């Protein structure tokens, strides 16, 4: 697992207070991990801070799963 | 009831009459305070008179970045997170609309509406995470009723009421409450400039027959800041001697 994926997972575990084993790539923040809309906004802000990236509103809306987040951040970091 | 023992609070505009009374009341309930304002000597004097649990912090809220940074500065002074934010700072630039200058409109919007938003935004980030917090905004009766000569001030205070209701809805699921007090005519430097005739007229329109004291407002702040007010959010509390009953 990449360093980015590791860090994303850690942030999700910390913020949502869920077990690490539940934070699989396909896990949906809202449907599987019990997040509400405010949690997803807070998560995006936590990602922005942790990775020093800016995630615009339209991109943030598309981040629904753990993998979505990892992919988006990896793409930003590679660019 | 209404103990604030162990709580932390930031009061803006604490160098003014109303802000000082709010600070004294919160302090009397046991809170540790950060007193923000523009006048350093007044803040230092207030902090001295309170003794312990009071940190003066000069801030110019017409400066956006300075307003953004104030919550962080307060938490650094306290050495722990902020539990209670009281947005009390405000100013007036009165005049009939047809003669109102752009800068009089802008100044009031910046200090009375934009800076409270900046402070709320900064404070909410931590409060939402901690699942606890109280925000009390100080608006004005004028934001509810309007007032000739105060289009700018009324718009800003009315805006503050709308902002409070929105933030209350955003923060409710985390147990954070956001309320607003609309004081009527209170004896402060802001109302001391009113001409005698206007003062008489105002008194006639107050059922309780007197101007408000800063302490009348401070008591409402203590209530809304307390644990006991945990089921009250998005409310506009009219503390005005009965002058308006919206």
């Amino acid at each position: 697992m990449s360093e980015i994926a590791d860090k994303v997972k850690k942030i999700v575990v910390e913020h949502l207070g869920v077990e690490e084993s539940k934070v699989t790539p396909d896990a949906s923040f809202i449907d599987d991990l019990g997040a509400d809309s405010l949690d997803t906004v807070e998560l995006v802000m936590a990602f922005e801070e942790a990775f020093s990236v800016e995630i615009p509103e339209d991109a943030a809306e598309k981040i629904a799963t753990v993998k979505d987040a990892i992919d988006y951040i990896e793409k930003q970091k590679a660019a | 009831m209404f103990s604030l023992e162990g709580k932390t609070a930031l009061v803006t505009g604490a160098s003014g009459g109303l802000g000082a009374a709010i600070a004294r009341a919160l302090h009397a309930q046991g809170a540790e305070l950060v007193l923000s304002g523009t006048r350093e000597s007044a803040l230092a004097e207030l902090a001295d008179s309170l003794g312990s649990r009071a940190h003066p912090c000069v801030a110019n809220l017409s400066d956006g970045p300075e307003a953004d940074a104030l919550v962080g500065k307060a938490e650094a002074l306290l050495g722990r997170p902020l539990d209670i934010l009281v947005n009390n700072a405000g100013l007036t630039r009165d005049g009939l609309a047809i003669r109102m200058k752009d800068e009089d409109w802008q100044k009031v919007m910046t200090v009375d509406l934009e800076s409270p938003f900046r402070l709320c935004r900064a404070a909410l980030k931590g409060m939402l995470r901690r699942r606890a917090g109280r925000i009390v905004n100080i608006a004005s009766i004028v934001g509810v009723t309007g007032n000739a000569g105060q289009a700018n001030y009324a718009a800003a205070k009315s805006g503050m009421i709308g902002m409070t209701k929105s933030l209350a809805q955003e923060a409710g699921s985390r147990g954070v409450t956001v309320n607003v007090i609309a004081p009527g005519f209170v004896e402060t430097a802001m109302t001391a400039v009113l001409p005698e005739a206007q003062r008489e007229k105002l008194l006639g329109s107050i059922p309780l027959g007197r101007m408000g004291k800063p302490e009348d407002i401070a008591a409402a702040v203590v209530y809304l800041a307390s644990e006991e007010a945990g089921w009250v959010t998005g409310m506009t509390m009219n503390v005005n001697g009965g002058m308006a009953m919206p």
Side-chain angles (χ1 to χ4, degrees), chain A residues 10-78:
Chain A
K10 215 176 130 213
I11 290 168
V12 173
V13 166
E14 231 167 67
H15 188 88
L16 298 179
V18 290
E19 273 173 51
E20 210 178 317
S21 60
K22 286 198 169 160
V23 187
T24 58
D26 291 332
S28 151
F29 296 122
I30 290 178
D31 297 332
D32 302 316
L33 302 176
D36 63 13
S37 61
L38 192 51
D39 285 317
T40 59
V41 173
E42 288 187 298
L43 272 176
V44 164
M45 288 170 67
F47 295 148
E48 286 182 324
E49 200 177 338
F51 296 101
S52 311
V53 294
E54 201 161 316
I55 307 178
E57 209 49 49
D58 55 337
E61 275 168 22
K62 293 190 194 105
I63 298 177
T65 66
V66 177
K67 187 171 178 300
D68 292 342
I70 295 167
D71 287 351
Y72 183 84
I73 295 160
E74 278 181 343
K75 222 161 81 194
Q76 294 302 303
K77 283 300 190 188

Side-chain angles (χ1 to χ4, degrees), chain B residues 199-217:
Chain B
R199 188 176 275 270
E200 284 300 313
K201 206 175 136 207
L202 280 172
L203 274 177
S205 63
I206 302 174
L208 285 172
R210 65 170 175 87
M211 298 270 284
K213 299 184 303 256
E215 291 74 22
D216 292 321
I217 309 306

Side-chain angles (χ1 to χ4, degrees), chain B residues 24 26 57 61 63 69 79 89-90 93 101-103 109 132 141 143-144 153 171 198-199 212 226 245:
Chain B
R24 284 181 201 289
L26 295 173
C57 181
L61 296 181
D63 181 79
R93 290 284 183 277
K101 304 250 188 316
D102 285 358
E103 52 265 38
M109 284 301 148
I141 186 173
V144 178
Y153 187 68
Q198 201 179 342
R199 188 176 275 270
S226 71
M245 305 182 184

Side-chain angles (χ1 to χ4, degrees), chain B residues 16-42:
Chain B
L18 186 49
I22 292 169
R24 284 181 201 289
L26 295 173
H27 190 266
Q29 297 307 108
E32 180 174 353
L33 304 179
V34 173
L35 310 165
S36 138
T38 47
R39 283 175 288 136
E40 195 171 3
S41 58

Side-chain angles (χ1 to χ4, degrees), chain B residues 117-139:
Chain B
F117 172 71
R118 289 179 184 278
L119 284 152
C120 284
R121 180 172 60 186
L124 276 172
K125 279 182 194 163
M127 288 177 176
L128 294 175
R129 219 176 306 124
R130 293 190 300 276
R131 306 276 192 276
R134 295 276 185 267
I135 295 179
V136 183
N137 292 321
I138 307 298

